[in-house]
Amino acid sequence: MSGFETDRRTPAGLPQTADRALQVLLAFDRARPEWGVTEVATEFGLHTSIAQRLLATLAHRGFLVQDTANRRYRIGPAALHLGRMWDQAGALDILVRPLLAELAEATGHSALLALPDSAHMRCVVVAEGADGRLRDYPLTNELYPAHAGATSKSFYAFLPDEQRSRIFTDRPLARFTDRTVTDLAELEAQFAEVRANGWAYTVGEYDLGVATLAVPVFLRDEPYGSVSVGWLSGQYRHDPTEWVELLREVSSRVSLRLTRPIPRRPRRGRL
């Protein structure tokens, strides 16, 4: 299956039909945005009649829509509804905050998860370290410009070139401090360095006197957000490379909690 690895076996005590339907739904991703009946049957080892009923049921409830021209299925509006409910219910906070709290405790500084929001990164979950807040107000929902600071650069560096170009080309880049890079060629060189290293470190690019170390978070091999630690550079002296592996571990655990990949089992016979 493209992108999402899952155990095809339904655990004992759970309804098999419902589990199959959810497995089919999880097969839709950016790498494989549409599926046909025969493809689903082959991929999941099902008879075409069963695959047809599963897809038709998901479409009936709005989780899929069928293109009448080629009779293939894509994700439907019900998935958008669940996505909005996910945001409103605070489930991301429940899953991620404990991991960030561990990171904040280990470093003594504020740790946060940021997700892309157009040409910015938005802080969605934060845990404060022993040194307290970086600012006089909570960082939740704080926006960080795409071109300034490690929190942003660790994410945007890993976007496909065409997608990143649409964000930065023909857009004025504001200068926040004397360290802010506003030249696009220089910025692309920094993005290349971030990709080579797998992490970003900046001092005073967005906030004067604030140092930030960040790593990307990937979901199904696609950039999803970034995990970062920030501290007052005038009060604390750190070698950021000492924390890179710690941040990478937290990033991996965040990804695991949001995707729950399970090792793939050998495909069973047709049902």
Side-chain angles (χ1 to χ4, degrees):
M1 186 189 300
S2 60
F4 191 89
E5 300 292 340
T6 184
D7 187 342
R8 299 291 173 76
R9 297 179 303 179
T10 301
L14 297 182
Q16 190 178 61
T17 300
D19 189 49
R20 284 178 183 166
L22 292 173
Q23 289 180 35
V24 169
L25 191 60
L26 289 171
F28 291 81
D29 58 20
R30 186 174 299 181
R32 193 78 175 269
E34 63 178 31
W35 289 76
V37 173
T38 302
E39 292 170 332
V40 168
T42 301
E43 179 69 19
F44 288 88
L46 304 172
H47 285 294
T48 54
S49 60
I50 295 176
Q52 173 63 56
R53 289 198 297 270
L54 287 175
L55 291 169
T57 301
L58 289 169
H60 174 69
R61 292 299 179 184
F63 288 98
L64 298 177
V65 292
Q66 186 183 44
D67 186 335
T68 56
N70 59 19
R71 304 187 65 80
R72 295 169 67 80
Y73 290 84
R74 286 179 171 265
I75 288 293
L80 176 61
H81 167 71
L82 290 184
R84 288 175 174 172
M85 289 302 301
W86 158 266
D87 290 336
Q88 296 170 9
L92 184 62
D93 186 274
I94 294 172
L95 291 173
V96 174
R97 184 180 295 276
L99 303 180
L100 295 181
E102 292 179 18
L103 181 58
E105 181 178 4
T107 62
H109 304 305
S110 295
L112 61 90
L113 171 70
L115 302 183
D117 188 340
S118 186
H120 295 81
M121 294 293 283
R122 182 183 296 275
C123 174
V124 293
V125 186
V126 62
E128 296 169 4
D131 64 343
R133 293 178 176 176
L134 276 175
R135 298 186 182 179
D136 295 332
Y137 54 87
L139 292 177
T140 305
N141 287 322
E142 182 79 1
L143 289 173
Y144 302 95
H147 67 288
T151 296
S152 295
K153 288 181 175 178
S154 62
F155 170 80
Y156 288 100
F158 289 91
L159 286 183
D161 292 345
E162 181 180 352
Q163 189 174 349
R164 190 172 59 254
S165 177
R166 289 198 300 267
I167 294 173
F168 289 98
T169 302
D170 298 327
R171 180 191 299 273
L173 302 180
R175 183 179 295 278
F176 301 98
T177 74
D178 59 358
R179 292 174 178 261
T180 306
V181 175
T182 58
D183 178 76
L184 191 55
E186 184 179 354
L187 188 61
E188 279 297 324
Q190 290 187 349
F191 284 145
E193 182 178 1
V194 170
R195 287 193 295 275
N197 294 332
W199 51 273
Y201 172 65
T202 58
V203 179
E205 285 193 0
Y206 181 54
D207 285 322
L208 278 174
V210 174
T212 307
L213 174 67
V215 300
V217 176
F218 292 93
L219 295 188
R220 307 176 191 178
D221 298 324
E222 295 185 4
Y224 171 73
S226 66
V227 167
S228 60
V229 171
W231 63 91
L232 299 177
S233 58
Q235 296 183 22
Y236 304 96
R237 295 288 188 268
H238 299 301
D239 177 358
T241 60
E242 295 180 357
W243 288 339
V244 168
E245 291 306 316
L246 180 59
L247 265 71
R248 283 176 172 163
E249 179 184 352
V250 171
S251 172
S252 296
R253 292 171 66 192
V254 168
S255 179
L256 284 172
R257 288 202 173 185
L258 296 181
T259 58
R260 290 185 165 189
I262 303 173
R264 197 176 204 172
R265 305 285 183 176
R267 189 174 297 169
R268 293 178 295 170
R270 297 175 66 87
L271 301 176

